[in-house]
Amino acid sequence: MTPQGPILVINPNSSTGVTQGLVAALAPYALPGGPAFECIDIPTSPATIATSEDVARSGLALAEIARGRPDASAFIIACFSDPGLELLRSLVPQPVLGIQEAGILTAMARADRFGIIALSERSVARHLLRIRQMGVLDRMAGEVGLSGVSALDAGTCDKVLTETLEAGRGLVRQGAGAIVLGCAGFAPRRRRIEAELGVPVIDPVQAAAVIALGAVIA
Amino acid sequence: MTPQGPILVINPNSSTGVTQGLVAALAPYALPGGPAFECIDIPTSPATIATSEDVARSGLALAEIARGRPDASAFIIACFSDPGLELLRSLVPQPVLGIQEAGILTAMARADRFGIIALSERSVARHLLRIRQMGVLDRMAGEVGLSGVSALDAGTCDKVLTETLEAGRGLVRQGAGAIVLGCAGFAPRRRRIEAELGVPVIDPVQAAAVIALGAVIA
Amino acid sequence: MTPQGPILVINPNSSTGVTQGLVAALAPYALPGGPAFECIDIPTSPATIATSEDVARSGLALAEIARGRPDASAFIIACFSDPGLELLRSLVPQPVLGIQEAGILTAMARADRFGIIALSERSVARHLLRIRQMGVLDRMAGEVGLSGVSALDAGTCDKVLTETLEAGRGLVRQGAGAIVLGCAGFAPRRRRIEAELGVPVIDPVQAAAVIALGAVIA
Amino acid sequence: MTPQGPILVINPNSSTGVTQGLVAALAPYALPGGPAFECIDIPTSPATIATSEDVARSGLALAEIARGRPDASAFIIACFSDPGLELLRSLVPQPVLGIQEAGILTAMARADRFGIIALSERSVARHLLRIRQMGVLDRMAGEVGLSGVSALDAGTCDKVLTETLEAGRGLVRQGAGAIVLGCAGFAPRRRRIEAELGVPVIDPVQAAAVIALGAVIA
Amino acid sequence: MTPQGPILVINPNSSTGVTQGLVAALAPYALPGGPAFECIDIPTSPATIATSEDVARSGLALAEIARGRPDASAFIIACFSDPGLELLRSLVPQPVLGIQEAGILTAMARADRFGIIALSERSVARHLLRIRQMGVLDRMAGEVGLSGVSALDAGTCDKVLTETLEAGRGLVRQGAGAIVLGCAGFAPRRRRIEAELGVPVIDPVQAAAVIALGAVIA
Amino acid sequence: MTPQGPILVINPNSSTGVTQGLVAALAPYALPGGPAFECIDIPTSPATIATSEDVARSGLALAEIARGRPDASAFIIACFSDPGLELLRSLVPQPVLGIQEAGILTAMARADRFGIIALSERSVARHLLRIRQMGVLDRMAGEVGLSGVSALDAGTCDKVLTETLEAGRGLVRQGAGAIVLGCAGFAPRRRRIEAELGVPVIDPVQAAAVIALGAVIA
């Protein structure tokens, strides 16, 4: 294996707590001699990417970062709205993965129909646009928005966990055979949620990370 | 990380050459302390799974194997027709991945439209049934069947490589932004084909392998 | 009209009661001088094809039977999961019809949207895979699974009839303009259910039988 | 079996030659004691239903006829544009079948993808509207329009037969596994075309006739 | 700007009250020196186009009118079932717009998902056929039928307004980002409904009228 | 009619020539007493929005402008990639129209299948993403990219006109019943192209302009 640059995992919000969660979530996938997962955030961003404007601004910030990192072997956009995904692909030669795409596609590799748990109701319509664009609408069992929680709380707050489990149970009842966690911040909760729901639960950052490994190593 | 059983990669044909190719293709993804990739074939099978009957028979053979391996942490069905995929999922609690599904979905994580290179023209219609079933027809740029080559030759014969590159170039001209190699035997050629075509080339076994890592490790 | 071999109607379970129901259901369609409907079952099968494994095994058993009957003018696979449909088509030159396909397509010839009544909830997800594969998802109003009844009881048990009518009424309220009975065993109840629901009710074996007549006679 | 009124097969053009062809095509499906196939035409119509206006006018004429035949057990609209199909269904209680719908759906019961041979290029766009409305576009391999021939010539003219076979071969090359003859007049040629093309060839009137048998007999 | 003939807006029912509503609704769009909106009705028609037969008959009546008006610069079919749309397009060279098409497409230009309010439940299934034919089913949030009201009452009766607002609120809750009023008679209520619902509300006649302006002026 | 603020038509490139073309193209639609069409460009932008980065940057610039114009009655984003469309809708209360959406939907109101002429081949894949997102892929006959021309040349250069006509003829042969001009700069050529091709030709800015009139006037 040729030495390779890191897989740059960019959390486009400014929450260092979320970034630390990414580091922990990806640690188990570090191959000896393989690319490191380098996780960074964008200090000038808001703590949660919540609005369409946040998404648009972070797309350009991500482009700036990606252009400055010819050493990276791949990029992961660690925000569930996949900000800047097409943009980065048009700018840099390395593989670029979005966690919404990777999370949903990984769920589709595990079960026929997927459900999504989003941080808030207002993200649901925006996600729907992407899912229709992906051409995979017929595989979606449903999407549920939580009560408007932050990316950090998604992985750390007990009340949010309770809410998340309830949302997941509802999606399973609607026919979801796999659940996609709709934020990069959920990672610390994946195993717990999976154990409770009894169906595959996909952390979208981990999903993107292993696909990135497959892309850069051979 | 808890010690985990191997990820069992089942080549449902009897070609030990193909199985050795799988071992080589997956070696770079072995995580220290993580699950091993154990690659096996089915000595009583034909050398290439080519007909619908081969697919049906191998599905049941795979079920028999999967039921006998409660120690495995996951199963990969290393045949591009995904024989027995739903069957195994209904029988065993572990994650079960089919390489056609995993390969196509991984291509969809890399580019908007995918193309497929199959071993023979007669597989193309059978694959189409699966792609429509997957609900991802609108993402397919096309599928090209080679002149009826064996799984082993796919990864070892120079004449087949030439034919594969020509098929790949045609698919790129049709708009494919990523190419899925439609057989477990292509693995030794992936990097070469990727270098020649200039678009992501997906080895479906590697694609399934990293998704399996994501499923069993956390 | 040239003399023609029988249309072989294969009930892939072992319930002779179901087979007798088929004989009765198809008797009215016997054309003088035309092919007979020869109904058989598979004594080594379970009494109801319920699991994915039952489906896979019966597909191969059906292939064996079809290969041994060059005298037949057509084959009907009388199980609502259409086991072995593609397999048989790849093996024998005669027309091969699956009752799920034939039943759904016949409902689509009678009304815009169809509903399906299945024997159990656990079949519904398996049927969905086929309906998406058929590319007719946009025509489905819904599918309801009964409480896990046998193929024989579907056509003979009064309690099941009550349950069936309730399911049918629910589907009509959801917009179904025609109802497909999701098992070969329902035939004795078709007229009664049709009278009660007030919409076309399709017995899938009869649906396949008349399409078979159209295929072999001209 | 209760005595039943005839299945009224309405050729909405004025070609008695076409009507005689229908009589011959349906004779083999007459069940002893079952409903007769009564074939009629509309003397005030043009010899071929070719334009959108022909279609619209014949829809109303068909409605008039259907309303006047409470004795009929079912109606078949024997024109490939299915004029008046929804209208008749809204007006009379009997089953109403359109031969375009019945022909396409029957082809879908025989093979994965269908092709259509139309009388003229200008019908193709009109048919496409119906096929999209039917929600089965993903199953169509293609449609070819002949050089603008009459309904009568479709079944009687040797030059048209040659043209039809050429069209059919083109559709098979495009992946059609079954061919639908796109006019009620083709019936006399069905067996010949089927023998030449080597795939199932569907006469849409016969297709509708057997579905009608299934609807009225039980 | 060359002087141009009027845009002929044909209300295919006989309600002069509805026609007067059209005149009022279109007055604000009259460009100085541009084509006038000439609104007419069909005195021999019923007061509301409600049944499939009404739709079929009015299609032919519209064709008669359109053929007699070579002076018109465009035609608008002011009935939500778009009677005769394809027919008129095949007969006359001028632009022909249907208000169902124009209304739905305009809603799609304003928001991702649309809802429709129809005059009665029994129109909903007929509309669905058109929406599937238009290929835009994935953009529909839902359709609600009112309790069977007349075209005139849609724009003038207070009880109907209350019912309409309730239907609209239900559609917004189902995810509709824009509401299409499903009858030419609703025009006088558009602004009021828009103000109450807080989402774009499309009067389909106004929608067609401005598209007609775009077609005839340049 | 209440006095209303202008409909702000924002050309997101810096070509004042294109902006002047917009002024001329929209002049005929100015209603007396109605909102003016105020056409502006963005001097800091490139002369043609060609790359994904241009699209992303202009989306944010458009948002800035829209937020600063509470007096406007509606916004039109006069770039065929619809930069910032969802973003602006999330930020301002006024109607926001994108010319790609408006142009395609208007073509769909005129004919069953549309074709698109883009400035360059490299835009085609980006447009496809939007068309799939719009859920209208089944209505597209094709898209052809010109040889990489500027927005200004699209409406002023004779060589580009020749190329445009050739592209249009190809699309009509592929079944396009209406052609969408894929850039705001084409407006001066619309009538000429329409006359030559013999099918409706949609200038997307005019299409958006009249829909905007319909939105703000009642």
mmCIF file of all heavy atoms in Angstrom, chain E residues 3 5 14 31 38 40 58 64 79 85 100 123 142 147 150 155 165 174 181-182 190 194 196-197 210:
data_model
loop_
_atom_site.group_PDB
_atom_site.id
_atom_site.type_symbol
_atom_site.label_atom_id
_atom_site.label_comp_id
_atom_site.label_asym_id
_atom_site.label_seq_id
_atom_site.Cartn_x
_atom_site.Cartn_y
_atom_site.Cartn_z
ATOM 1 N N PRO E 3 -50.831 43.394 -33.941
ATOM 2 C CA PRO E 3 -52.155 43.164 -33.353
ATOM 3 C C PRO E 3 -52.463 41.667 -33.378
ATOM 4 O O PRO E 3 -52.146 40.982 -34.353
ATOM 5 C CB PRO E 3 -53.108 43.944 -34.263
ATOM 6 C CG PRO E 3 -52.300 44.487 -35.383
ATOM 7 C CD PRO E 3 -50.854 44.199 -35.156
ATOM 8 N N GLY E 5 -55.207 38.339 -32.313
ATOM 9 C CA GLY E 5 -56.565 37.930 -31.973
ATOM 10 C C GLY E 5 -56.672 37.631 -30.491
ATOM 11 O O GLY E 5 -55.667 37.481 -29.790
ATOM 12 N N SER E 14 -72.298 25.584 -18.817
ATOM 13 C CA SER E 14 -73.242 26.605 -19.273
ATOM 14 C C SER E 14 -73.474 27.690 -18.238
ATOM 15 O O SER E 14 -74.372 28.509 -18.393
ATOM 16 C CB SER E 14 -74.575 25.936 -19.619
ATOM 17 O OG SER E 14 -75.068 25.270 -18.467
ATOM 18 N N LEU E 31 -53.095 43.126 -21.390
ATOM 19 C CA LEU E 31 -51.999 44.021 -21.778
ATOM 20 C C LEU E 31 -52.512 45.033 -22.800
ATOM 21 O O LEU E 31 -53.248 44.676 -23.716
ATOM 22 C CB LEU E 31 -50.870 43.200 -22.398
ATOM 23 C CG LEU E 31 -50.058 42.375 -21.412
ATOM 24 C CD1 LEU E 31 -49.297 41.295 -22.150
ATOM 25 C CD2 LEU E 31 -49.096 43.283 -20.649
ATOM 26 N N GLU E 38 -61.126 36.688 -24.256
ATOM 27 C CA GLU E 38 -62.547 36.562 -24.589
ATOM 28 C C GLU E 38 -63.073 35.301 -23.911
ATOM 29 O O GLU E 38 -62.618 34.196 -24.218
ATOM 30 C CB GLU E 38 -62.692 36.472 -26.115
ATOM 31 C CG GLU E 38 -64.127 36.283 -26.557
ATOM 32 C CD GLU E 38 -64.248 36.101 -28.076
ATOM 33 O OE1 GLU E 38 -63.304 36.460 -28.826
ATOM 34 O OE2 GLU E 38 -65.284 35.562 -28.512
ATOM 35 N N ILE E 40 -66.029 32.688 -23.022
ATOM 36 C CA ILE E 40 -67.339 32.215 -23.466
ATOM 37 C C ILE E 40 -67.701 30.925 -22.726
ATOM 38 O O ILE E 40 -66.836 30.261 -22.150
ATOM 39 C CB ILE E 40 -67.370 31.942 -24.989
ATOM 40 C CG1 ILE E 40 -66.413 30.803 -25.349
ATOM 41 C CG2 ILE E 40 -67.015 33.205 -25.775
ATOM 42 C CD1 ILE E 40 -66.540 30.344 -26.803
ATOM 43 N N SER E 58 -67.857 17.534 -23.757
ATOM 44 C CA SER E 58 -67.364 18.908 -23.859
ATOM 45 C C SER E 58 -66.078 18.953 -24.678
ATOM 46 O O SER E 58 -65.799 19.959 -25.333
ATOM 47 C CB SER E 58 -67.178 19.531 -22.478
ATOM 48 O OG SER E 58 -66.168 18.877 -21.770
ATOM 49 N N GLU E 64 -65.121 21.805 -31.807
ATOM 50 C CA GLU E 64 -65.956 22.517 -32.786
ATOM 51 C C GLU E 64 -65.707 24.018 -32.703
ATOM 52 O O GLU E 64 -65.518 24.704 -33.717
ATOM 53 C CB GLU E 64 -67.427 22.191 -32.478
ATOM 54 C CG GLU E 64 -68.279 22.019 -33.701
ATOM 55 C CD GLU E 64 -67.627 21.056 -34.689
ATOM 56 O OE1 GLU E 64 -67.341 19.891 -34.327
ATOM 57 O OE2 GLU E 64 -67.366 21.505 -35.830
ATOM 58 N N CYS E 79 -61.732 24.176 -17.820
ATOM 59 C CA CYS E 79 -62.379 23.121 -17.028
ATOM 60 C C CYS E 79 -61.261 22.248 -16.491
ATOM 61 O O CYS E 79 -60.354 21.854 -17.240
ATOM 62 C CB CYS E 79 -63.312 22.293 -17.895
ATOM 63 S SG CYS E 79 -63.835 20.753 -17.109
ATOM 64 N N LEU E 85 -58.078 18.384 -24.565
ATOM 65 C CA LEU E 85 -56.785 19.066 -24.690
ATOM 66 C C LEU E 85 -55.960 18.499 -25.840
ATOM 67 O O LEU E 85 -55.537 19.235 -26.745
ATOM 68 C CB LEU E 85 -56.015 18.973 -23.364
ATOM 69 C CG LEU E 85 -54.664 19.677 -23.316
ATOM 70 C CD1 LEU E 85 -54.809 21.157 -23.613
ATOM 71 C CD2 LEU E 85 -54.028 19.499 -21.934
ATOM 72 N N GLN E 100 -56.008 22.419 -15.855
ATOM 73 C CA GLN E 100 -55.452 21.485 -14.859
ATOM 74 C C GLN E 100 -53.929 21.428 -15.024
ATOM 75 O O GLN E 100 -53.192 21.624 -14.059
ATOM 76 C CB GLN E 100 -56.049 20.091 -15.032
ATOM 77 C CG GLN E 100 -55.531 19.117 -13.965
ATOM 78 C CD GLN E 100 -56.160 17.738 -14.057
ATOM 79 O OE1 GLN E 100 -56.566 17.303 -15.113
ATOM 80 N NE2 GLN E 100 -56.232 17.054 -12.938
ATOM 81 N N SER E 123 -64.279 13.249 -8.510
ATOM 82 C CA SER E 123 -63.333 13.735 -9.512
ATOM 83 C C SER E 123 -61.898 13.313 -9.199
ATOM 84 O O SER E 123 -61.035 13.330 -10.077
ATOM 85 C CB SER E 123 -63.355 15.268 -9.588
ATOM 86 O OG SER E 123 -64.658 15.750 -9.710
ATOM 87 N N GLY E 142 -51.278 15.682 -2.099
ATOM 88 C CA GLY E 142 -52.586 15.083 -1.918
ATOM 89 C C GLY E 142 -53.650 15.842 -2.686
ATOM 90 O O GLY E 142 -53.392 16.907 -3.243
ATOM 91 N N SER E 147 -67.593 18.499 -0.988
ATOM 92 C CA SER E 147 -68.783 17.647 -0.841
ATOM 93 C C SER E 147 -69.675 17.641 -2.078
ATOM 94 O O SER E 147 -70.890 17.435 -1.958
ATOM 95 C CB SER E 147 -69.586 18.126 0.369
ATOM 96 O OG SER E 147 -69.969 19.480 0.173
ATOM 97 N N SER E 150 -71.058 22.945 -6.953
ATOM 98 C CA SER E 150 -71.099 23.357 -8.354
ATOM 99 C C SER E 150 -69.956 24.328 -8.634
ATOM 100 O O SER E 150 -69.385 24.936 -7.709
ATOM 101 C CB SER E 150 -72.427 24.060 -8.655
ATOM 102 O OG SER E 150 -72.433 25.343 -8.054
ATOM 103 N N GLY E 155 -66.994 29.673 -6.224
ATOM 104 C CA GLY E 155 -66.485 31.040 -6.103
ATOM 105 C C GLY E 155 -67.421 31.994 -5.409
ATOM 106 O O GLY E 155 -67.063 33.159 -5.188
ATOM 107 N N LEU E 165 -61.385 26.132 2.730
ATOM 108 C CA LEU E 165 -60.275 26.487 3.631
ATOM 109 C C LEU E 165 -59.873 25.291 4.482
ATOM 110 O O LEU E 165 -58.683 25.037 4.700
ATOM 111 C CB LEU E 165 -60.673 27.670 4.515
ATOM 112 C CG LEU E 165 -60.801 29.000 3.765
ATOM 113 C CD1 LEU E 165 -61.392 30.077 4.675
ATOM 114 C CD2 LEU E 165 -59.428 29.448 3.239
ATOM 115 N N GLN E 174 -50.375 18.059 5.168
ATOM 116 C CA GLN E 174 -49.791 16.903 4.462
ATOM 117 C C GLN E 174 -48.533 17.265 3.681
ATOM 118 O O GLN E 174 -47.979 16.430 2.986
ATOM 119 C CB GLN E 174 -50.802 16.326 3.462
ATOM 120 C CG GLN E 174 -51.913 15.496 4.073
ATOM 121 C CD GLN E 174 -52.946 15.115 3.010
ATOM 122 O OE1 GLN E 174 -52.607 14.597 1.961
ATOM 123 N NE2 GLN E 174 -54.204 15.370 3.297
ATOM 124 N N LEU E 181 -56.429 25.290 -7.008
ATOM 125 C CA LEU E 181 -57.887 25.271 -6.926
ATOM 126 C C LEU E 181 -58.402 24.489 -8.126
ATOM 127 O O LEU E 181 -58.133 24.862 -9.278
ATOM 128 C CB LEU E 181 -58.419 26.700 -6.911
ATOM 129 C CG LEU E 181 -57.918 27.532 -5.714
ATOM 130 C CD1 LEU E 181 -58.328 28.995 -5.867
ATOM 131 C CD2 LEU E 181 -58.432 26.956 -4.395
ATOM 132 N N GLY E 182 -59.160 23.428 -7.869
ATOM 133 C CA GLY E 182 -59.450 22.462 -8.919
ATOM 134 C C GLY E 182 -60.722 22.735 -9.692
ATOM 135 O O GLY E 182 -61.445 21.786 -10.033
ATOM 136 N N ARG E 190 -59.600 33.215 -4.763
ATOM 137 C CA ARG E 190 -58.169 32.928 -4.678
ATOM 138 C C ARG E 190 -57.440 33.736 -3.607
ATOM 139 O O ARG E 190 -56.753 33.171 -2.762
ATOM 140 C CB ARG E 190 -57.505 33.185 -6.027
ATOM 141 C CG ARG E 190 -55.995 33.003 -5.946
ATOM 142 C CD ARG E 190 -55.288 33.475 -7.192
ATOM 143 N NE ARG E 190 -53.869 33.629 -6.922
ATOM 144 C CZ ARG E 190 -53.062 34.362 -7.648
ATOM 145 N NH1 ARG E 190 -53.508 35.017 -8.695
ATOM 146 N NH2 ARG E 190 -51.782 34.449 -7.315
ATOM 147 N N GLU E 194 -55.619 32.301 -0.287
ATOM 148 C CA GLU E 194 -54.158 32.462 -0.160
ATOM 149 C C GLU E 194 -53.804 33.140 1.159
ATOM 150 O O GLU E 194 -52.878 32.726 1.870
ATOM 151 C CB GLU E 194 -53.640 33.267 -1.357
ATOM 152 C CG GLU E 194 -52.134 33.226 -1.513
ATOM 153 C CD GLU E 194 -51.701 33.651 -2.921
ATOM 154 O OE1 GLU E 194 -51.967 34.814 -3.305
ATOM 155 O OE2 GLU E 194 -51.091 32.844 -3.634
ATOM 156 N N GLU E 196 -55.517 33.176 3.881
ATOM 157 C CA GLU E 196 -55.814 32.320 5.032
ATOM 158 C C GLU E 196 -54.820 31.171 5.173
ATOM 159 O O GLU E 196 -54.470 30.778 6.268
ATOM 160 C CB GLU E 196 -57.229 31.729 4.904
ATOM 161 C CG GLU E 196 -58.349 32.757 4.879
ATOM 162 C CD GLU E 196 -58.919 33.012 6.278
ATOM 163 O OE1 GLU E 196 -58.483 32.340 7.238
ATOM 164 O OE2 GLU E 196 -59.801 33.885 6.392
ATOM 165 N N LEU E 197 -54.401 30.607 4.051
ATOM 166 C CA LEU E 197 -53.561 29.408 4.131
ATOM 167 C C LEU E 197 -52.078 29.728 4.303
ATOM 168 O O LEU E 197 -51.310 28.905 4.797
ATOM 169 C CB LEU E 197 -53.750 28.524 2.887
ATOM 170 C CG LEU E 197 -55.139 27.939 2.664
ATOM 171 C CD1 LEU E 197 -55.123 27.007 1.459
ATOM 172 C CD2 LEU E 197 -55.620 27.173 3.898
ATOM 173 N N VAL E 210 -51.759 33.579 -18.030
ATOM 174 C CA VAL E 210 -50.444 34.222 -18.161
ATOM 175 C C VAL E 210 -49.502 33.365 -19.014
ATOM 176 O O VAL E 210 -48.673 33.898 -19.754
ATOM 177 C CB VAL E 210 -49.827 34.570 -16.783
ATOM 178 C CG1 VAL E 210 -50.672 35.653 -16.104
ATOM 179 C CG2 VAL E 210 -49.663 33.346 -15.907
#
